[in-house]
Amino acid sequence: MELGDIPPLDGISVLIVEDELVFRRQLSAFLTKLGAAVTAAGDGLSGLELLGLQRFDIILLDVVMPQLDGVGFLQRVSPPQVPVIVISGKSNLDDLRKVMTLGASDFLVKPIADFNELATTILTAISDKEDTELQLELAELSDHKQALREHDSQATRVFNDLQPVESAMLANYFYHYQVVGYSLLPLFGQVGENRIAVVVLDLSTLAQDAVIAAVIANGYFQDLWERYEKGTDKRAELPTEALGGLNRIICGADLKAPLCCFYALYNSHSVTFANGGVLGLEAPFQDFYPDLPLGSSLRETWDTHMYEVPSSSLVISKHNLINDKLKIKLLPS
């Protein structure tokens, strides 16, 4: 099978706990070629030590090992904080049942004939874990929805807490913004050494759900930028995928209206962006018609555009239908 036919694992950190040296090296080489960051241990005790020193996105765990086998390993960490894929021989079905009961996400049977299945199983396990965490977050948020909808003063305090400082240095850039009104919210993040991420949220159509949407979007982007910094999630540098991830959350949040969200990456000479429903953007963005707002469809892709910045600074200006205004200036240091 051509490597190009197999889904990439860029930025995913994998802990392999496997005592068979040749198979362990096979797994490591294959996953490394797909872009994963691989750490390997030859037995369960060594795996536990590594797990205490470093955070991993997923664990590949052999069942039969010296010193501490897969069952003993999972008993020490149950319930596991990250997905665990068990690799087992067909003769170990009883142990396989035990590890699945202890919280393993999935299993593969040795010998692995199709490495495409391994890559797909890893991605599925991580996606399922993220979906579970998302549902828990939404359930927790639902407890606060009614309070935010019914108490204007509480909602105002939360909204004010979300606003970034008006002027700051970030990722070798100086930003400054001015806002008139309470329906527009900018967010700023660092993506690598030479790019600054800018988010514009237009909350004017959400009425009582405006602050709830702002809390969701702020939490999503702050987490996205943090995971990018750790090398575990590349969506921060891909505007269409960044909006797609937030769209899944907004669709599940049961808001009264969709969320209009603009996401841009600026690197001093160009800006790459995707626009989920934000109207009223001024030059140089006025010629790029906005795509659908988030939450209006279960789609996962938005059009990505690029604009070459002719000067040494970038200005993002916007007004909305209720005449609130936002102006952001970005300048390389």
Side-chain angles (χ1 to χ4, degrees), residues 170-173 189 191-198 237 264-273 306-314 316 330-333:
L170 185 63
N172 297 322
Y173 296 88
V191 179
E193 295 182 0
N194 299 312
R195 285 177 295 186
I196 184 171
V198 182
E237 64 181 18
L265 291 170
Y266 175 52
N267 67 354
S268 79
H269 62 272
S270 68
V271 57
T272 304
F273 63 94
M306 188 181 75
Y307 174 77
E308 297 290 340
V309 181
S311 65
S312 59
S313 63
L314 175 68
I316 302 175
L330 301 163
L331 181 69
S333 61

Side-chain angles (χ1 to χ4, degrees), residues 9 32 63 83 103-104 136 153 169 202 206 210 233 237 255 278 281 292 295:
L9 303 175
T32 300
V63 172
L136 291 172
S153 59
M169 289 291 302
D202 186 348
L206 283 151
D233 195 332
E237 64 181 18
L255 301 179
V278 175
L281 286 168
L292 289 176

Side-chain angles (χ1 to χ4, degrees), residues 16-28:
I16 299 173
V17 186
E18 165 65 58
D19 68 312
E20 295 182 23
L21 177 60
V22 174
F23 185 53
R24 187 169 71 241
R25 288 178 174 174
Q26 266 188 321
L27 288 175
S28 296

Side-chain angles (χ1 to χ4, degrees), residues 163-168 174-179 188 327 329:
Q163 296 185 44
V165 295
E166 293 182 353
S167 301
F174 174 78
Y175 77 77
H176 173 76
Y177 76 91
Q178 297 170 299
V179 64
F188 302 93
K327 187 173 185 178
K329 291 185 177 180

Side-chain angles (χ1 to χ4, degrees), residues 138 140-151 208-209 212 216 250 252-256:
L138 291 175
E140 182 179 352
L141 180 63
S142 67
D143 295 337
H144 303 286
K145 278 184 181 179
Q146 202 60 31
L148 292 174
R149 286 170 175 165
E150 294 177 353
H151 302 288
Q208 290 177 312
D209 282 353
I212 298 169
I216 293 173
I250 296 297
D254 190 30
L255 301 179
K256 302 298 184 183

